[in-house]
Amino acid sequence: MIGRLNHIGIATPSIDESVAMYRDFMGATSVTEKWAMPEQGVWVCFVNLPNSQIELIEPYGDKSPIHAFLEKNPKGGQHHVCFEVPDIYAARDDMKAKGATVLGEPRIGAHGTPVIFIHPKNMGGVLVELMETPKEAH
Ligand code: CO
């Protein structure tokens, strides 16, 4: 069921500073503009790598779900990993049937396809995002 690693999500107090770091310190050459996802409470930006992406997420608004993460990790840090699945509803049903705690219902993620999150307690302490593979990508 698990597919390609789509991206690694990294929480940051400042996308602008993180982009500068990936660009100037690590030599990244392809970085998207940042944009707001108010319903998810985040600013998002992608650093494009040859084989994957880094998703930078910064709090948007007072109720952002990543405020708590940044309180524990003031400089930011790895927040989640995202794997592609062919069918998000089948993946949700399968994970629930196996006893996993699925956080929320499928909703449209930063790539425009539906995503769900699996609680870290089911995944060795790692918050896992499952994302339906974009149709045009393969
Ligand atoms: Co993500």
Side-chain angles (χ1 to χ4, degrees), residues 12-92:
T12 171
S14 167
I15 281 180
D16 292 341
E17 285 180 19
S18 291
V19 164
M21 181 184 70
Y22 276 96
R23 230 183 224 138
D24 304 335
F25 193 61
M26 298 296 284
T29 55
S30 176
V31 182
T32 71
E33 292 296 313
K34 71 175 178 185
W35 73 95
M37 299 190 72
E39 285 178 19
Q40 275 83 335
V42 289
W43 289 95
V44 184
C45 165
F46 284 97
V47 179
N48 296 311
L49 307 175
N51 66 339
S52 194
Q53 290 178 306
I54 300 293
E55 177 186 48
L56 298 170
I57 49 177
E58 177 186 325
Y60 178 99
D62 295 338
K63 290 177 182 158
S64 175
I66 60 174
H67 279 308
F69 182 90
L70 288 174
E71 273 167 30
K72 287 184 215 146
N73 307 274
K75 291 185 171 179
Q78 187 184 325
H79 183 264
H80 64 272
V81 295
C82 177
F83 301 109
E84 292 183 14
V85 295
D87 180 324
I88 201 71
Y89 292 95
R92 176 200 60 185

